[in-house]
Amino acid sequence: MPELNVQAETQERDRHSHHHGHDHHEKAVKRSWKDSNFYGVMQRFAKNKVSVVGLIIIILLVLTAIFAEQIAPYNYRRIDPAHANQLPSAAHWFGTDAQGRDIFSRIVFGARYSLSIGVIASLVGTLLGILFGALAGFFGGWVETVILRICDIIQSIPNILLCICVSQVFGSGFFATAMALSVYSIPGTTRLLRATMMSVREQEFVEAAKAIDCSPMRIMFKHILPNCMAPLIVSFSMAIGMKIMSSAGLSFLGLGIQEPIPEWGAMISAGRRYLRVAPHLVIFPGLFVALVVLSFNLVGDGLRDALDPKLRK
Amino acid sequence: MAKLIELKHLKKYFPTSKGALHAVDDVTFDIEEGTTMGVVGESGCGKSTLGRTIIHLHESTDGQIFYRGKDITQVSKSEMSELRHKMQIIFQDPNSSLNPRMTVEDTIREPMKLSKRFSRAEIDDRVNELMHRVGIDRRMRQAYPHELDGGRRQRVGIARALAMDPEFIVCDEPVSALDVSIQAQILNLLQDLQRDHHLTYMFVTHDMSVVRHLSDNICVMYLGQVVEICEAKEIFRRPLHPYTQVLLSAIPSTDLNDQRERIITKGELSSPINPKPGCRFAARCAYACEKCMQPQQLAEVEPGHHVACCRIHELNQ
Ligand SMILES: Nc1ncnc2c1ncn2[C@@H]1O[C@H](COP(=O)(O)OP(=O)(O)O)[C@@H](O)[C@H]1O
Ligand SMILES: [Mg+2]
């Protein structure tokens, strides 16, 4: 057998830069773990320093959420009217709120709520979007038309208004809010998947699958869908930040998660009455919302470039 | 020799917003068992569509397809499965012809797994055998397409096509996307496979020089229609249709004494959407006249040499 044709490999790679050339050809061939793309994706992601910073921030926030009990210096529920609305100090890093609760401790615990609501809402929205997108792509015809028209209708309603309507139906608990937040990203994901499927379907391996007598089902699940995942992963990670922001917005409007739960949006909402006398009540949770949204967007950007350079804007 | 494939007035029209696109328009020819039919023509003339229509990846609009004398234009689902095993295709673009998420091994295994004709152990043996046959190292069985160069990807595509022991393979420009150095290897492989497995090929290409040594017969297409068809040697010795002459003049010559001049065509490729009835090449043909506005018939000008040109006798005296 001829050895690996390094020159041809290089030429091929140059010509088709989107087929992530691999310097570790030998290693990759012997590798036993399943998803070979994963390694390459991580390598390319690591080259994007800004996205790596975003990822580090997210990891720190997740760790904060997990180890909230250990990190928070105070009980986040402990009311202490004697020390209400204190400015940041050595004892209370971010100051205290109107009931004298330690804001830093509340933000640490709030990470649990804000992050999980972002992830859950984004996950539900993405999964439902995949379901509808796949249905539209698989059946085509009137099924597709109906699904797309429903998407049109949902997308014509402003996001926040839609959230308000849905949360009126589901109530204002944690999961109800997550559901309300997930709804508005369903149409976008549906369309994204359908468009991706249309372009994947053009590729010759789908015809090859037909030629070897694959059933339409198998073509869909084995050949088309697995190759549509990259843009969905990107939109999923971007959506997390957006959901956290919307959740804060809902809380602020008095609809989503409410006091005394230390969700960041709820904290902003509670603090807005004291904006003049104690702006730090709003500033600190606001900073964290901004930080987490920014981080997820950076990671989403990095993933987009790493997963498929073709997607680069 | 027996005829493996017979096409009778085969048509494939694609509906478009501007009207019917005549991708394949009234194609009639036979392919004999164990031979190679080279199909040449510039890109967009319907070569791929013809190949895909024959093996039922596209539904034909009109006309008939016979396989070993049996009309297969309309088939039931179970007949279809059987046909799929006998007729296979090798694709042009090695970057898109393999599923990026499947390993070499899985890609080759899939057709056999689906057919239920082989046991697990048999499939494993056959995968090894096929990989060896097309020249892919065993170490590559777990590799993904992006880890292979273009030539190897094409070999995997060939192994997949061979997996079901087909009799007829449409080779849709299998070397057009490859480096010249690799082209020859793949062409040799295809020839060896034909000899060893008694395969029948329809070899599609836009490059005359590629089919020269490979084809028994050559069919020249222009905008969905066959303009000339005859034995390969004959077409290179004595091209009759003005379009074939243009195609042949475009092959770079290796003979320094060759005094041929490249024929430059005027005009542009006309649209395949609702084309006018006359000769489709007339707009670019140096010899076009009044008569060329009439529909052209493929006629046997010399024994075994069919040409669709009404001025053929005047021009080739
Ligand atoms: N699925 C399709 N739908 C509509 N038009 C098509 C489709 N496939 C091919 N065509 C059109 O049919 C014509 C012939 O295409 P093709 O068979 O790919 O040509 P070739 O292989 O000779 O380059 C082209 O004009 C092309 O645009
Ligand atoms: Mg083609």
Side-chain angles (χ1 to χ4, degrees):
Chain A
M1 263 323 297
E3 268 310 302
L4 300 173
N5 184 343
V6 176
Q7 195 192 347
E9 167 76 19
T10 319
Q11 286 168 353
E12 277 302 311
R13 187 193 313 157
D14 291 346
R15 212 170 332 132
H16 311 286
S17 53
H18 62 276
H19 278 269
H20 15 287
H22 233 272
D23 301 325
H24 306 265
H25 201 152
E26 279 291 325
K27 212 195 290 171
V29 172
K30 283 176 195 152
R31 154 229 67 220
S32 59
W33 46 309
K34 258 302 183 203
D35 198 1
S36 79
N37 287 328
F38 186 73
Y39 185 68
V41 169
M42 282 302 128
Q43 266 187 330
R44 268 169 291 136
F45 185 86
K47 289 205 188 98
N48 190 341
K49 299 296 174 235
V50 187
S51 298
V52 172
V53 170
L55 184 65
I56 291 172
I57 294 174
I58 291 172
I59 292 173
L60 288 178
L61 287 172
V62 169
L63 289 176
T64 307
I66 294 172
F67 298 107
E69 273 89 358
Q70 285 74 29
I71 294 169
Y74 298 92
N75 179 341
Y76 73 96
R77 274 176 298 219
R78 202 193 65 188
I79 293 173
D80 183 3
H83 298 95
N85 286 345
Q86 281 191 352
L87 286 178
S89 64
H92 300 281
W93 293 355
F94 292 171
T96 60
D97 69 5
Q99 275 106 31
R101 294 174 298 195
D102 180 47
I103 292 180
F104 179 70
S105 303
R106 290 183 66 72
I107 283 180
V108 166
F109 275 90
R112 285 188 177 171
Y113 295 94
S114 285
L115 287 179
S116 46
I117 204 152
V119 171
I120 291 171
S122 184
L123 194 66
V124 172
T126 302
L127 289 179
L128 289 176
I130 289 175
L131 176 69
F132 293 125
L135 283 176
F138 184 72
F139 289 106
W142 67 267
V143 177
E144 185 176 28
T145 311
V146 168
I147 289 176
L148 290 180
R149 289 299 82 79
I150 294 175
C151 288
D152 282 340
I153 294 170
I154 296 179
Q155 281 183 317
S156 69
I157 306 170
N159 292 346
I160 201 76
L161 192 64
L162 190 69
C163 289
I164 292 171
C165 296
V166 181
S167 67
Q168 290 295 330
V169 177
F170 286 114
S172 67
F174 180 82
F175 282 100
T177 308
M179 293 306 115
L181 291 170
S182 71
V183 172
Y184 75 74
S185 67
I186 297 172
T189 312
T190 302
R191 278 180 204 288
L192 178 66
L193 178 58
R194 182 179 154 271
T196 316
M197 279 171 69
M198 276 163 68
S199 78
V200 170
R201 200 172 257 159
E202 294 288 299
Q203 301 206 32
E204 286 175 343
F205 67 81
V206 176
E207 276 190 296
K210 205 173 153 194
I212 59 168
D213 208 24
C214 272
S215 65
M217 266 304 206
R218 188 180 165 88
I219 292 180
M220 179 79 181
F221 285 103
K222 183 85 191 174
H223 294 283
I224 297 179
L225 277 182
N227 287 295
C228 295
M229 286 303 132
L232 290 176
I233 292 171
V234 173
S235 87
F236 169 73
S237 83
M238 297 255 191
I240 296 176
M242 230 148 57
K243 302 299 177 194
I244 291 174
M245 190 130 86
S246 305
S247 163
L250 274 188
S251 304
F252 188 81
L253 292 173
L255 283 163
I257 298 167
Q258 292 301 316
E259 275 275 83
I261 295 174
E263 196 261 351
W264 296 339
M267 289 173 70
I268 298 174
S269 167
R272 73 181 189 273
R273 272 176 287 159
Y274 309 95
L275 200 55
R276 282 172 181 230
V277 285
H280 62 278
L281 264 59
V282 170
I283 288 173
F284 287 110
L287 272 179
F288 273 80
V289 171
L291 188 68
V292 74
V293 172
L294 181 69
S295 301
F296 276 108
N297 281 348
L298 291 177
V299 169
D301 270 337
L303 277 177
R304 165 159 53 212
D305 294 351
L307 281 168
D308 193 349
K310 268 186 301 182
L311 286 171
R312 206 173 281 161
K313 289 266 164 65
Chain B
M1 244 187 281
K3 288 171 185 166
L4 189 75
I5 301 277
E6 288 168 76
L7 309 179
K8 293 211 160 64
H9 307 290
L10 190 66
K11 292 179 188 159
K12 175 64 194 175
Y13 297 170
F14 290 110
T16 67
S17 53
K18 287 183 235 135
L21 190 154
H22 295 217
V24 173
D25 208 355
D26 202 345
V27 168
T28 301
F29 64 67
D30 310 331
I31 306 178
E32 289 188 359
E33 195 173 348
T35 67
T36 298
M37 170 66 84
V39 176
V40 288
E42 61 203 295
S43 67
C45 72
K47 307 176 302 287
S48 301
T49 307
L50 177 63
R52 284 162 165 78
T53 309
I54 296 174
I55 66 168
H56 284 73
L57 286 177
H58 289 319
E59 219 173 296
S60 55
T61 308
D62 196 17
Q64 287 164 299
I65 308 164
F66 293 87
Y67 190 82
R68 292 195 185 284
K70 182 172 173 280
D71 188 343
I72 58 160
T73 320
Q74 305 290 336
V75 288
S76 71
K77 231 178 150 186
S78 62
E79 287 172 308
M80 193 69 197
S81 297
E82 217 165 290
L83 274 177
R84 295 246 187 260
H85 298 161
K86 293 190 180 142
M87 308 200 289
Q88 274 299 319
I89 179 164
I90 299 168
F91 293 95
Q92 170 173 15
D93 182 2
N95 299 308
S96 86
S97 61
L98 302 178
N99 184 338
R101 308 231 158 236
M102 280 168 76
T103 59
V104 167
E105 185 178 31
D106 289 340
T107 299
I108 301 174
R109 174 172 287 146
E110 192 178 23
M112 297 186 275
K113 225 166 80 184
L114 292 174
S115 80
K116 303 193 175 71
R117 225 166 67 188
F118 305 98
S119 71
R120 263 198 84 112
E122 276 175 316
I123 292 180
D124 286 342
D125 287 349
R126 278 184 64 85
V127 169
N128 282 335
E129 210 180 287
L130 284 161
M131 283 182 69
H132 178 72
R133 190 67 195 81
V134 300
I136 309 167
D137 197 300
R138 268 182 60 89
R139 286 178 308 155
M140 307 253 179
R141 47 191 310 155
Q142 295 287 328
Y144 284 86
H146 73 267
E147 296 165 324
L148 306 175
D149 61 57
R152 282 197 185 74
R153 283 184 220 147
Q154 205 56 295
R155 287 172 198 270
V156 175
I158 293 171
R160 171 179 59 196
L162 281 181
M164 295 310 301
D165 270 334
E167 299 173 323
F168 175 63
I169 299 182
V170 173
C171 307
D172 188 359
E173 313 217 23
V175 298
S176 304
L178 302 179
D179 292 334
V180 180
S181 57
I182 303 169
Q183 283 190 359
Q185 297 172 11
I186 299 290
L187 290 176
N188 287 336
L189 173 64
L190 287 171
Q191 267 181 313
D192 293 348
L193 291 170
Q194 177 167 43
R195 194 190 52 226
D196 296 350
H197 298 263
H198 195 60
L199 294 168
T200 307
Y201 286 153
M202 174 172 145
F203 198 101
V204 171
T205 178
H206 63 263
D207 183 354
M208 272 285 204
S209 54
V210 168
V211 281
R212 182 164 204 159
H213 306 288
L214 212 89
S215 308
D216 298 288
N217 298 293
I218 285 183
C219 142
V220 180
M221 282 182 76
Y222 190 80
L223 278 181
Q225 296 183 322
V226 174
V227 295
E228 183 162 3
I229 184 165
C230 67
E231 265 183 45
K233 272 185 259 135
E234 173 76 4
I235 216 159
F236 284 98
R237 196 179 60 81
R238 205 164 127 71
L240 293 179
H241 196 282
Y243 178 60
T244 314
Q245 291 168 356
V246 172
L247 274 186
L248 281 174
S249 80
I251 304 179
S253 174
T254 47
D255 182 359
L256 289 178
N257 299 321
D258 193 345
Q259 296 294 310
R260 280 183 317 157
E261 256 182 65
R262 178 156 185 181
I263 309 170
I264 310 289
T265 48
K266 59 185 165 73
E268 290 191 11
L269 195 69
S270 43
S271 164
I273 298 173
N274 293 327
K276 295 193 196 78
C279 173
R280 291 184 188 170
F281 184 59
R284 293 163 81 188
C285 182
Y287 314 106
C289 69
E290 206 55 25
K291 273 193 291 182
C292 300
M293 300 302 137
Q294 303 298 319
Q296 306 290 309
Q297 295 296 328
L298 201 62
E300 189 157 11
V301 177
E302 277 163 24
H305 197 150
H306 302 258
V307 183
C309 177
C310 56
R311 299 196 68 192
I312 200 72
H313 292 293
E314 313 164 36
L315 296 177
N316 292 286
Q317 265 167 16

